[in-house]
């Protein structure tokens, strides 16, 4: 029987987690959003408020819809608030030991049938999964930045992810209005494995002073028709996150 994901959680409300919480709340789900401390929680909440205010300004949401969307998200700093979640997506910084520690805690807090997902871009989902007692219910769910806009979700199965977990997460991604691709657990998956060779090459062209930042970005925008240049994209992803990937 297909699982229904009604109560969902997000851990880490930075660039990605705030966007993922917004995607979930836009779909009418009740969301619990967890940050490390009160200051980070305020930043995460502001991220959601600002992003949805921009959607109101562009006529994509009404003011009332925005208020309802934000009200569907419960913000907190205690992972125990995730006890009733059917699915939790972790989006904390790209450090294996931090992610493993969070998965181990989630394993003790969440219902045994809950699915635990990571938004990691480059770490081994398998190594994260084995920090729990339910590796069959751990999966990669890799959203792209900005999550409310970008269509693709890479679903990463490890050799022990249960088939019905993969099937249900694929159906869930489609319900969110995303397009899913399911792949095996390999560093960078599809998009980043291809993208980061290019981004690194752009950084090394700049490092060797071959061209200015503006010219490198102009070459790819105007010469290749991309929506932004590689150095602007590195900034959008975040240099710290890009470095870890
Ligand atoms: N930035 C991107 O373009 C992008 C795209 C896809 C996937 N990712 C992946 O998403 C993940 C998050 O990346 P990001 O760019 O959003 O990072 P970020 O640094 O913007 O956000 C991470 C958030 O996690 C919070 N955090 C840290 N420790 C925590 C804890 N113990 N409990 C709860 N929250 C905690 C931080 O306060 C921060 O707000 C990484 O695995 C990254 O590889 C990033």
């Amino acid at each position: 029987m297909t699982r229904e994901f009604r109560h969902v959680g997000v851990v880490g409300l930075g660039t990605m987690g705030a966007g993922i919480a917004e995607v979930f709340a836009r779909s009418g789900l009740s969301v619990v959003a967890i940050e490390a401390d009160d200051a980070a929680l305020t930043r995460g909440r502001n991220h959601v408020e600002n992003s949805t205010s921009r959607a109101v300004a562009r006529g994509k949401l009404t003011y009332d819809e925005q208020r309802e969307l934000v009200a569907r998200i419960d913000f907190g700093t205690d992972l125990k608030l995730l006890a009733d979640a059917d699915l939790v997506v972790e989006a904390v910084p790209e450090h294996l030991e931090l992610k493993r520690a969070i998965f181990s805690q989630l394993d003790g807090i969440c219902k045994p049938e809950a699915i635990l997902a990571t938004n990691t871009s480059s770490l081994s989902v398998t190594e994260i999964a084995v920090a729990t007692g339910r590796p069959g219910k751990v999966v990669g769910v890799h959203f792209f930045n900005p999550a409310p806009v970008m269509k693709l979700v890479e679903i990463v199965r490890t050799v022990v992810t249960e088939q019905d977990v993969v099937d249900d997460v694929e159906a869930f991604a489609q319900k969110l209005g995303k397009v899913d691709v399911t792949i095996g657990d390999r560093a960078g998956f599809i998009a980043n494995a291809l993208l980061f060779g290019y981004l690194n090459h752009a950084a090394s062209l700049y490092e060797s002073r071959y061209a200015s930042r503006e010219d490198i970005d102009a070459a790819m925008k105007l010469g290749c028709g991309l929506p932004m240049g590689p150095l602007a994209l590195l900034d959008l992803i975040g240099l710290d996150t890009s470095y870890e990937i």
Side-chain angles (χ1 to χ4, degrees):
M1 208 177 75
T2 311
R3 292 176 181 82
E4 285 256 11
F5 300 106
R6 288 212 182 89
H7 302 287
V8 294
V10 179
V11 182
L13 296 180
T15 305
M16 291 310 294
I20 295 167
E22 180 184 329
V23 169
F24 288 162
R26 265 193 200 207
S27 293
L29 303 169
S30 93
V31 185
V32 175
I34 303 294
E35 254 295 349
D37 56 44
D38 288 336
L41 193 62
T42 302
R43 279 198 305 275
R45 189 198 298 264
N46 288 343
H47 208 312
V48 176
E49 291 278 0
N50 294 339
S51 166
T52 51
S53 295
R54 284 196 299 275
V56 172
R58 287 200 307 265
K60 306 225 159 161
L61 273 183
T62 66
Y63 177 75
D64 288 347
E65 284 167 344
Q66 182 206 17
R67 295 328 308 158
E68 284 166 19
L69 184 162
V70 176
R72 278 196 284 275
I73 307 177
D74 281 332
F75 294 89
T77 54
D78 187 350
L79 286 176
K80 293 200 184 81
L81 296 170
L82 296 167
D84 287 332
D86 304 312
L87 167 85
V88 177
V89 177
E90 162 279 312
V92 303
E94 190 75 336
H95 300 303
L96 182 60
E97 283 319 313
L98 173 61
K99 289 185 188 281
R100 283 172 53 90
I102 284 177
F103 270 72
S104 158
Q105 290 177 66
L106 289 174
D107 191 36
I109 290 167
C110 296
K111 306 181 281 196
E113 65 273 24
I115 293 176
L116 305 181
T118 175
N119 189 51
T120 183
S121 304
S122 56
L123 299 173
S124 160
V125 178
T126 310
E127 283 187 58
I128 295 170
V130 295
T132 74
R134 61 177 94 184
K137 296 200 165 45
V138 176
V139 68
V141 178
H142 185 230
F143 287 84
F144 287 78
N145 180 16
V149 176
M150 301 300 278
K151 279 275 176 196
L152 187 71
V153 177
E154 290 176 325
I155 296 173
V156 185
R157 64 178 328 148
T158 73
V159 288
V160 294
T161 312
E162 292 158 18
Q163 184 59 45
D164 61 301
V165 168
V166 175
D167 294 342
D168 291 349
V169 171
E170 286 173 344
F172 178 63
Q174 290 157 24
K175 274 198 183 159
L176 295 173
K178 301 297 184 191
V179 175
D180 56 297
V181 294
T182 298
I183 53 222
D185 187 17
R186 173 187 184 281
F189 317 129
I190 299 176
N192 282 337
L194 295 171
L195 178 65
F196 270 80
Y198 156 68
L199 296 182
N200 272 334
H201 201 166
S204 60
L205 282 184
Y206 179 62
E207 184 184 28
S208 66
R209 296 169 194 259
Y210 177 71
S212 70
R213 289 180 298 195
E214 292 73 18
D215 288 355
I216 291 170
D217 278 0
M220 296 312 291
K221 265 179 81 171
L222 306 178
C224 298
L226 298 183
M228 69 178 70
L231 301 179
L233 180 54
L234 279 166
D235 276 338
L236 179 79
I237 295 168
L239 292 181
D240 51 348
T241 297
S242 298
Y243 175 79
E244 294 299 339
I245 295 170

